[in-house]
PDB file of all heavy atoms in Angstrom:
ATOM      1  N   VAL A   4     111.869  83.969  99.144  1.00 96.00           N
ATOM      2  CA  VAL A   4     112.555  84.696 100.253  1.00 96.00           C
ATOM      3  C   VAL A   4     114.027  84.774  99.955  1.00 96.00           C
ATOM      4  O   VAL A   4     114.688  85.805 100.200  1.00 96.00           O
ATOM      5  CB  VAL A   4     112.282  84.070 101.636  1.00 96.00           C
ATOM      6  CG1 VAL A   4     113.210  84.615 102.688  1.00 96.00           C
ATOM      7  CG2 VAL A   4     110.839  84.244 102.020  1.00 96.00           C
ATOM      8  N   LEU A   5     114.619  83.670  99.448  1.00 95.00           N
ATOM      9  CA  LEU A   5     116.055  83.698  99.105  1.00 95.00           C
ATOM     10  C   LEU A   5     116.333  84.663  98.019  1.00 95.00           C
ATOM     11  O   LEU A   5     117.310  85.420  98.037  1.00 95.00           O
ATOM     12  CB  LEU A   5     116.436  82.234  98.659  1.00 95.00           C
ATOM     13  CG  LEU A   5     117.905  82.052  98.274  1.00 95.00           C
ATOM     14  CD1 LEU A   5     118.860  82.380  99.446  1.00 95.00           C
ATOM     15  CD2 LEU A   5     118.143  80.643  97.768  1.00 95.00           C
ATOM     16  N   LEU A   6     115.486  84.732  97.018  1.00 94.00           N
ATOM     17  CA  LEU A   6     115.599  85.740  95.954  1.00 94.00           C
ATOM     18  C   LEU A   6     115.445  87.159  96.537  1.00 94.00           C
ATOM     19  O   LEU A   6     116.236  88.056  96.161  1.00 94.00           O
ATOM     20  CB  LEU A   6     114.534  85.482  94.877  1.00 94.00           C
ATOM     21  CG  LEU A   6     114.545  86.358  93.658  1.00 94.00           C
ATOM     22  CD1 LEU A   6     115.938  86.327  92.922  1.00 94.00           C
ATOM     23  CD2 LEU A   6     113.474  85.932  92.662  1.00 94.00           C
ATOM     24  N   HIS A   7     114.490  87.323  97.426  1.00 94.00           N
ATOM     25  CA  HIS A   7     114.300  88.637  98.063  1.00 94.00           C
ATOM     26  C   HIS A   7     115.535  89.047  98.834  1.00 94.00           C
ATOM     27  O   HIS A   7     115.982  90.187  98.751  1.00 94.00           O
ATOM     28  CB  HIS A   7     113.105  88.462  99.025  1.00 94.00           C
ATOM     29  CG  HIS A   7     112.699  89.715  99.775  1.00 94.00           C
ATOM     30  ND1 HIS A   7     112.123  90.799  99.183  1.00 94.00           N
ATOM     31  CD2 HIS A   7     112.831  90.022 101.096  1.00 94.00           C
ATOM     32  CE1 HIS A   7     111.901  91.754 100.085  1.00 94.00           C
ATOM     33  NE2 HIS A   7     112.303  91.321 101.243  1.00 94.00           N
ATOM     34  N   PHE A   8     116.117  88.125  99.579  1.00 94.00           N
ATOM     35  CA  PHE A   8     117.361  88.392 100.345  1.00 94.00           C
ATOM     36  C   PHE A   8     118.521  88.729  99.403  1.00 94.00           C
ATOM     37  O   PHE A   8     119.283  89.682  99.673  1.00 94.00           O
ATOM     38  CB  PHE A   8     117.701  87.176 101.240  1.00 94.00           C
ATOM     39  CG  PHE A   8     118.941  87.371 102.003  1.00 94.00           C
ATOM     40  CD1 PHE A   8     119.065  88.265 103.068  1.00 94.00           C
ATOM     41  CD2 PHE A   8     120.049  86.553 101.712  1.00 94.00           C
ATOM     42  CE1 PHE A   8     120.226  88.409 103.763  1.00 94.00           C
ATOM     43  CE2 PHE A   8     121.224  86.689 102.451  1.00 94.00           C
ATOM     44  CZ  PHE A   8     121.323  87.635 103.496  1.00 94.00           C
ATOM     45  N   SER A   9     118.629  87.960  98.288  1.00 92.00           N
ATOM     46  CA  SER A   9     119.731  88.214  97.345  1.00 92.00           C
ATOM     47  C   SER A   9     119.597  89.625  96.715  1.00 92.00           C
ATOM     48  O   SER A   9     120.592  90.323  96.556  1.00 92.00           O
ATOM     49  CB  SER A   9     119.717  87.150  96.223  1.00 92.00           C
ATOM     50  OG  SER A   9     119.879  85.861  96.821  1.00 92.00           O
ATOM     51  N   LEU A  10     118.356  90.000  96.379  1.00 91.00           N
ATOM     52  CA  LEU A  10     118.153  91.319  95.783  1.00 91.00           C
ATOM     53  C   LEU A  10     118.427  92.431  96.811  1.00 91.00           C
ATOM     54  O   LEU A  10     118.931  93.496  96.464  1.00 91.00           O
ATOM     55  CB  LEU A  10     116.718  91.430  95.294  1.00 91.00           C
ATOM     56  CG  LEU A  10     116.341  90.578  94.104  1.00 91.00           C
ATOM     57  CD1 LEU A  10     114.858  90.425  93.900  1.00 91.00           C
ATOM     58  CD2 LEU A  10     116.938  91.221  92.834  1.00 91.00           C
ATOM     59  N   TYR A  11     118.101  92.129  98.078  1.00 92.00           N
ATOM     60  CA  TYR A  11     118.439  93.076  99.155  1.00 92.00           C
ATOM     61  C   TYR A  11     119.961  93.273  99.224  1.00 92.00           C
ATOM     62  O   TYR A  11     120.420  94.420  99.357  1.00 92.00           O
ATOM     63  CB  TYR A  11     117.907  92.584 100.474  1.00 92.00           C
ATOM     64  CG  TYR A  11     118.444  93.246 101.680  1.00 92.00           C
ATOM     65  CD1 TYR A  11     118.132  94.571 102.010  1.00 92.00           C
ATOM     66  CD2 TYR A  11     119.331  92.547 102.558  1.00 92.00           C
ATOM     67  CE1 TYR A  11     118.651  95.166 103.145  1.00 92.00           C
ATOM     68  CE2 TYR A  11     119.853  93.160 103.668  1.00 92.00           C
ATOM     69  CZ  TYR A  11     119.504  94.466 103.984  1.00 92.00           C
ATOM     70  OH  TYR A  11     120.039  95.058 105.072  1.00 92.00           O
ATOM     71  N   LEU A  12     120.712  92.210  99.177  1.00 90.00           N
ATOM     72  CA  LEU A  12     122.206  92.332  99.186  1.00 90.00           C
ATOM     73  C   LEU A  12     122.743  93.128  98.006  1.00 90.00           C
ATOM     74  O   LEU A  12     123.634  93.948  98.098  1.00 90.00           O
ATOM     75  CB  LEU A  12     122.863  90.929  99.206  1.00 90.00           C
ATOM     76  CG  LEU A  12     122.742  90.181 100.511  1.00 90.00           C
ATOM     77  CD1 LEU A  12     123.419  88.790 100.311  1.00 90.00           C
ATOM     78  CD2 LEU A  12     123.377  90.899 101.680  1.00 90.00           C
ATOM     79  N   ILE A  13     122.109  92.896  96.820  1.00 89.00           N
ATOM     80  CA  ILE A  13     122.487  93.628  95.637  1.00 89.00           C
ATOM     81  C   ILE A  13     122.232  95.149  95.835  1.00 89.00           C
ATOM     82  O   ILE A  13     123.047  95.997  95.501  1.00 89.00           O
ATOM     83  CB  ILE A  13     121.772  93.134  94.391  1.00 89.00           C
ATOM     84  CG1 ILE A  13     122.256  91.691  94.045  1.00 89.00           C
ATOM     85  CG2 ILE A  13     121.961  94.032  93.186  1.00 89.00           C
ATOM     86  CD1 ILE A  13     121.415  91.004  93.006  1.00 89.00           C
ATOM     87  N   GLU A  14     121.002  95.423  96.314  1.00 88.00           N
ATOM     88  CA  GLU A  14     120.657  96.858  96.513  1.00 88.00           C
ATOM     89  C   GLU A  14     121.560  97.496  97.593  1.00 88.00           C
ATOM     90  O   GLU A  14     121.915  98.677  97.396  1.00 88.00           O
ATOM     91  CB  GLU A  14     119.197  96.937  96.982  1.00 88.00           C
ATOM     92  CG  GLU A  14     118.686  98.389  96.954  1.00 88.00           C
ATOM     93  CD  GLU A  14     117.367  98.564  97.686  1.00 88.00           C
ATOM     94  OE1 GLU A  14     117.148  97.943  98.717  1.00 88.00           O
ATOM     95  OE2 GLU A  14     116.566  99.320  97.150  1.00 88.00           O
ATOM     96  N   ARG A  15     121.885  96.782  98.608  1.00 85.00           N
ATOM     97  CA  ARG A  15     122.723  97.350  99.677  1.00 85.00           C
ATOM     98  C   ARG A  15     124.236  97.234  99.360  1.00 85.00           C
ATOM     99  O   ARG A  15     125.029  97.661 100.105  1.00 85.00           O
ATOM    100  CB  ARG A  15     122.455  96.646 101.024  1.00 85.00           C
ATOM    101  CG  ARG A  15     121.031  96.756 101.477  1.00 85.00           C
ATOM    102  CD  ARG A  15     120.531  98.181 101.625  1.00 85.00           C
ATOM    103  NE  ARG A  15     121.208  98.878 102.677  1.00 85.00           N
ATOM    104  CZ  ARG A  15     121.358 100.202 102.792  1.00 85.00           C
ATOM    105  NH1 ARG A  15     120.908 100.966 101.815  1.00 85.00           N
ATOM    106  NH2 ARG A  15     121.934 100.739 103.853  1.00 85.00           N
ATOM    107  N   LYS A  16     124.521  96.608  98.257  1.00 81.00           N
ATOM    108  CA  LYS A  16     125.925  96.487  97.743  1.00 81.00           C
ATOM    109  C   LYS A  16     126.840  95.689  98.669  1.00 81.00           C
ATOM    110  O   LYS A  16     127.954  96.052  98.910  1.00 81.00           O
ATOM    111  CB  LYS A  16     126.494  97.890  97.491  1.00 81.00           C
ATOM    112  CG  LYS A  16     125.770  98.633  96.378  1.00 81.00           C
ATOM    113  CD  LYS A  16     126.400 100.005  96.163  1.00 81.00           C
ATOM    114  CE  LYS A  16     125.748 100.663  94.967  1.00 81.00           C
ATOM    115  NZ  LYS A  16     124.313 100.950  95.189  1.00 81.00           N
ATOM    116  N   GLY A  17     126.265  94.572  99.269  1.00 72.00           N
ATOM    117  CA  GLY A  17     127.101  93.702 100.020  1.00 72.00           C
ATOM    118  C   GLY A  17     126.774  93.516 101.487  1.00 72.00           C
ATOM    119  O   GLY A  17     125.876  94.142 102.007  1.00 72.00           O
ATOM    120  N   PHE A  18     127.564  92.650 102.154  1.00 75.00           N
ATOM    121  CA  PHE A  18     127.268  92.283 103.521  1.00 75.00           C
ATOM    122  C   PHE A  18     127.579  93.378 104.524  1.00 75.00           C
ATOM    123  O   PHE A  18     126.952  93.486 105.575  1.00 75.00           O
ATOM    124  CB  PHE A  18     128.082  91.042 103.881  1.00 75.00           C
ATOM    125  CG  PHE A  18     127.514  89.772 103.337  1.00 75.00           C
ATOM    126  CD1 PHE A  18     128.022  89.187 102.189  1.00 75.00           C
ATOM    127  CD2 PHE A  18     126.467  89.139 104.014  1.00 75.00           C
ATOM    128  CE1 PHE A  18     127.469  87.999 101.704  1.00 75.00           C
ATOM    129  CE2 PHE A  18     125.917  87.967 103.527  1.00 75.00           C
ATOM    130  CZ  PHE A  18     126.420  87.390 102.368  1.00 75.00           C
ATOM    131  N   LEU A  19     128.560  94.256 104.204  1.00 79.00           N
ATOM    132  CA  LEU A  19     128.924  95.320 105.158  1.00 79.00           C
ATOM    133  C   LEU A  19     127.758  96.289 105.395  1.00 79.00           C
ATOM    134  O   LEU A  19     127.472  96.640 106.505  1.00 79.00           O
ATOM    135  CB  LEU A  19     130.199  96.086 104.654  1.00 79.00           C
ATOM    136  CG  LEU A  19     131.470  95.320 104.703  1.00 79.00           C
ATOM    137  CD1 LEU A  19     132.660  96.124 104.148  1.00 79.00           C
ATOM    138  CD2 LEU A  19     131.779  94.872 106.174  1.00 79.00           C
ATOM    139  N   GLU A  20     127.121  96.655 104.259  1.00 80.00           N
ATOM    140  CA  GLU A  20     125.913  97.502 104.370  1.00 80.00           C
ATOM    141  C   GLU A  20     124.818  96.816 105.137  1.00 80.00           C
ATOM    142  O   GLU A  20     124.102  97.412 105.918  1.00 80.00           O
ATOM    143  CB  GLU A  20     125.444  97.923 102.991  1.00 80.00           C
ATOM    144  CG  GLU A  20     126.367  98.864 102.265  1.00 80.00           C
ATOM    145  CD  GLU A  20     126.316 100.274 102.838  1.00 80.00           C
ATOM    146  OE1 GLU A  20     125.389 100.626 103.530  1.00 80.00           O
ATOM    147  OE2 GLU A  20     127.309 100.994 102.621  1.00 80.00           O
ATOM    148  N   MET A  21     124.669  95.470 104.893  1.00 81.00           N
ATOM    149  CA  MET A  21     123.647  94.692 105.559  1.00 81.00           C
ATOM    150  C   MET A  21     123.872  94.692 107.088  1.00 81.00           C
ATOM    151  O   MET A  21     122.933  94.849 107.869  1.00 81.00           O
ATOM    152  CB  MET A  21     123.640  93.277 105.035  1.00 81.00           C
ATOM    153  CG  MET A  21     122.552  92.409 105.665  1.00 81.00           C
ATOM    154  SD  MET A  21     122.860  90.636 105.394  1.00 81.00           S
ATOM    155  CE  MET A  21     124.162  90.319 106.575  1.00 81.00           C
ATOM    156  N   ILE A  22     125.141  94.544 107.517  1.00 84.00           N
ATOM    157  CA  ILE A  22     125.464  94.536 108.919  1.00 84.00           C
ATOM    158  C   ILE A  22     125.070  95.904 109.568  1.00 84.00           C
ATOM    159  O   ILE A  22     124.545  95.920 110.684  1.00 84.00           O
ATOM    160  CB  ILE A  22     126.935  94.256 109.158  1.00 84.00           C
ATOM    161  CG1 ILE A  22     127.257  92.793 108.739  1.00 84.00           C
ATOM    162  CG2 ILE A  22     127.373  94.517 110.599  1.00 84.00           C
ATOM    163  CD1 ILE A  22     128.738  92.461 108.640  1.00 84.00           C
ATOM    164  N   GLY A  23     125.297  96.941 108.795  1.00 83.00           N
ATOM    165  CA  GLY A  23     124.890  98.305 109.326  1.00 83.00           C
ATOM    166  C   GLY A  23     123.391  98.400 109.464  1.00 83.00           C
ATOM    167  O   GLY A  23     122.885  99.201 110.288  1.00 83.00           O
ATOM    168  N   ASP A  24     122.621  97.580 108.723  1.00 84.00           N
ATOM    169  CA  ASP A  24     121.172  97.693 108.790  1.00 84.00           C
ATOM    170  C   ASP A  24     120.574  96.908 109.957  1.00 84.00           C
ATOM    171  O   ASP A  24     119.343  97.002 110.211  1.00 84.00           O
ATOM    172  CB  ASP A  24     120.557  97.160 107.463  1.00 84.00           C
ATOM    173  CG  ASP A  24     120.657  98.127 106.338  1.00 84.00           C
ATOM    174  OD1 ASP A  24     120.874  99.317 106.587  1.00 84.00           O
ATOM    175  OD2 ASP A  24     120.446  97.716 105.169  1.00 84.00           O
ATOM    176  N   LEU A  25     121.408  96.105 110.583  1.00 84.00           N
ATOM    177  CA  LEU A  25     120.874  95.215 111.625  1.00 84.00           C
ATOM    178  C   LEU A  25     120.347  95.961 112.852  1.00 84.00           C
ATOM    179  O   LEU A  25     119.669  95.380 113.688  1.00 84.00           O
ATOM    180  CB  LEU A  25     121.929  94.202 112.042  1.00 84.00           C
ATOM    181  CG  LEU A  25     122.315  93.147 110.946  1.00 84.00           C
ATOM    182  CD1 LEU A  25     123.407  92.215 111.473  1.00 84.00           C
ATOM    183  CD2 LEU A  25     121.068  92.354 110.559  1.00 84.00           C
ATOM    184  N   GLY A  26     120.611  97.250 112.944  1.00 86.00           N
ATOM    185  CA  GLY A  26     120.040  98.029 114.042  1.00 86.00           C
ATOM    186  C   GLY A  26     118.628  98.393 113.800  1.00 86.00           C
ATOM    187  O   GLY A  26     117.951  98.943 114.728  1.00 86.00           O
ATOM    188  N   ARG A  27     118.107  98.091 112.601  1.00 90.00           N
ATOM    189  CA  ARG A  27     116.679  98.408 112.247  1.00 90.00           C
ATOM    190  C   ARG A  27     115.853  97.179 112.541  1.00 90.00           C
ATOM    191  O   ARG A  27     116.138  96.054 112.061  1.00 90.00           O
ATOM    192  CB  ARG A  27     116.568  98.807 110.833  1.00 90.00           C
ATOM    193  CG  ARG A  27     117.460 100.008 110.501  1.00 90.00           C
ATOM    194  CD  ARG A  27     117.725 100.179 108.998  1.00 90.00           C
ATOM    195  NE  ARG A  27     116.622 100.825 108.331  1.00 90.00           N
ATOM    196  CZ  ARG A  27     116.574 101.023 107.050  1.00 90.00           C
ATOM    197  NH1 ARG A  27     117.572 100.567 106.250  1.00 90.00           N
ATOM    198  NH2 ARG A  27     115.581 101.600 106.482  1.00 90.00           N
ATOM    199  N   ILE A  28     114.808  97.347 113.360  1.00 93.00           N
ATOM    200  CA  ILE A  28     114.040  96.187 113.858  1.00 93.00           C
ATOM    201  C   ILE A  28     113.383  95.392 112.703  1.00 93.00           C
ATOM    202  O   ILE A  28     113.418  94.164 112.687  1.00 93.00           O
ATOM    203  CB  ILE A  28     112.922  96.638 114.816  1.00 93.00           C
ATOM    204  CG1 ILE A  28     113.564  97.371 116.018  1.00 93.00           C
ATOM    205  CG2 ILE A  28     112.126  95.452 115.314  1.00 93.00           C
ATOM    206  CD1 ILE A  28     114.482  96.503 116.839  1.00 93.00           C
ATOM    207  N   PHE A  29     112.916  96.080 111.670  1.00 92.00           N
ATOM    208  CA  PHE A  29     112.243  95.363 110.586  1.00 92.00           C
ATOM    209  C   PHE A  29     113.219  94.510 109.787  1.00 92.00           C
ATOM    210  O   PHE A  29     112.860  93.385 109.289  1.00 92.00           O
ATOM    211  CB  PHE A  29     111.479  96.318 109.661  1.00 92.00           C
ATOM    212  CG  PHE A  29     112.194  96.887 108.555  1.00 92.00           C
ATOM    213  CD1 PHE A  29     112.129  96.307 107.286  1.00 92.00           C
ATOM    214  CD2 PHE A  29     112.930  98.054 108.637  1.00 92.00           C
ATOM    215  CE1 PHE A  29     112.854  96.831 106.225  1.00 92.00           C
ATOM    216  CE2 PHE A  29     113.622  98.594 107.570  1.00 92.00           C
ATOM    217  CZ  PHE A  29     113.590  97.966 106.380  1.00 92.00           C
TER     218      PHE A  29
END
């Protein structure tokens, strides 16, 4: 899961994009 989360951050290019994704329930 940690690897999965790290790859997600790489794909989204950082925490700012991730924060924008928090409106999505999944």
Side-chain angles (χ1 to χ4, degrees):
V4 169
L5 181 60
L6 182 56
H7 181 70
F8 177 68
S9 302
L10 290 163
Y11 164 70
L12 287 179
I13 292 170
E14 190 192 41
R15 300 303 291 158
K16 298 180 174 62
F18 282 98
L19 290 178
E20 291 288 340
M21 182 195 78
I22 292 169
D24 283 343
L25 292 179
R27 303 162 81 183
I28 301 298
F29 89 93

